[in-house]
Amino acid sequence: MGDYHFVYKDVEGASTQWDDIQRKLGNLPPKAPVFKPDPFTPGEDEGSKSKDKDWIDEKTQDELDDLEDDPDLNDDRFLQEYRKKRMAEMREVAKVVRFGSVIPISGSDFVREVSQAPEDIWVVVLLYKDGYSGCQILLQCLDELATKYPVTKFVKIISTDCIPNYPDCNLPTVLVYHNGALKSNYVGLHSFGRRCTPEGVALTLCQSDPVLNDGRSKKEQSREAVLDGVRKRFLEKVVAQHEDDDGSSSD
């Protein structure tokens, strides 16, 4: 009959009294710490999350729009929170002063419409006269910018109604006001580059201050952020024009 040897292995980290004595005497190395795995925490299921205000605030505008059409979403508490959030957003939008066009004013309107404009509203004033081609070109550019940036106030006034005896050779002239103070002025069409375009005018107006505001941000953006937005709009316009040209040439 063969020899059978049994090896008994105790649980990990267990130690005999003899081993403990030997360790005290320094004959054995210190006992290794017992390995303990981190406690298991199951990941949070997106569907199990509580659909409260915090859950709603994490959603983007596009995600919120998609949720409106979700047939599986019938949580009354969620719907109440969602409606509150949408109503709050609508109230915030309603608070924003919007203009959207170049407003004609007279000399007697200037103080009320420009110097006493609402706080933190940028006002772009065009001094012009009918019959001057440069004034008409710049007015067309400002008309487009007024539509794209409805929170910036654009007004136009006949030059001599604003400043008596103002020289016609200085037309068109643009004055930029903020909180009742004149921030910058641009005399002559050449101030906006060799070719006066809406994008060129926008970049010129924002060189020193964040004059243009499209109303998408709740707080006033930095000059750099506004300039980035202007450049982005310009690139989108160029790409769209090239796509239109390619489409017409292929026909």
Side-chain angles (χ1 to χ4, degrees), residues 6 41 60 66 135 148 183 237:
F6 294 94
T41 303
T60 64
D66 292 339
C135 294
K148 291 180 178 178
K183 294 295 184 178
K237 182 177 180 179

Side-chain angles (χ1 to χ4, degrees), residues 166-202:
Y166 191 73
D168 291 347
C169 61
N170 289 344
L171 298 179
T173 294
V174 170
L175 311 175
V176 179
Y177 283 80
H178 189 244
N179 291 336
L182 178 64
K183 294 295 184 178
S184 55
N185 63 288
Y186 305 91
V187 178
L189 194 65
H190 64 275
S191 301
F192 301 100
R194 289 182 299 174
R195 291 180 63 250
C196 186
T197 64
E199 294 75 26
V201 174

Side-chain angles (χ1 to χ4, degrees), residues 3-122:
D3 250 346
Y4 292 95
H5 299 280
F6 294 94
V7 177
Y8 294 94
K9 187 173 182 181
D10 209 337
V11 294
E12 185 178 1
S15 177
T16 65
Q17 189 177 12
W18 174 256
D19 289 339
D20 292 339
I21 294 171
Q22 293 302 313
R23 286 191 178 91
K24 287 181 180 179
L25 297 174
N27 297 328
L28 288 178
K31 185 168 59 173
V34 178
F35 171 75
K36 290 184 179 180
D38 294 332
F40 173 72
T41 303
E44 189 173 19
D45 182 16
E46 181 68 24
S48 66
K49 283 186 177 180
S50 175
K51 297 176 180 61
D52 54 11
K53 184 177 183 301
D54 292 335
W55 184 82
I56 297 172
D57 289 341
E58 293 175 358
K59 299 297 181 185
T60 64
Q61 188 60 48
D62 290 339
E63 289 172 335
L64 287 175
D65 292 338
D66 292 339
L67 288 175
E68 286 186 319
D69 304 322
D70 190 343
D72 298 327
L73 210 56
N74 56 5
D75 189 327
D76 291 340
R77 185 177 57 180
F78 160 74
L79 291 175
Q80 290 176 2
E81 291 289 347
Y82 176 62
R83 290 190 186 102
K84 287 180 183 178
K85 180 177 176 64
R86 294 291 284 216
M87 289 299 294
E89 289 175 348
M90 291 171 65
R91 282 193 291 268
E92 287 297 322
V93 170
K95 288 179 185 177
V96 177
V97 179
R98 291 180 178 270
F99 304 100
S101 63
V102 180
I103 304 167
I105 64 173
S106 64
S108 59
D109 300 328
F110 191 90
V111 172
R112 183 182 70 253
E113 296 291 340
V114 179
S115 303
Q116 297 177 354
E119 186 178 0
D120 292 331
I121 293 293
W122 287 90

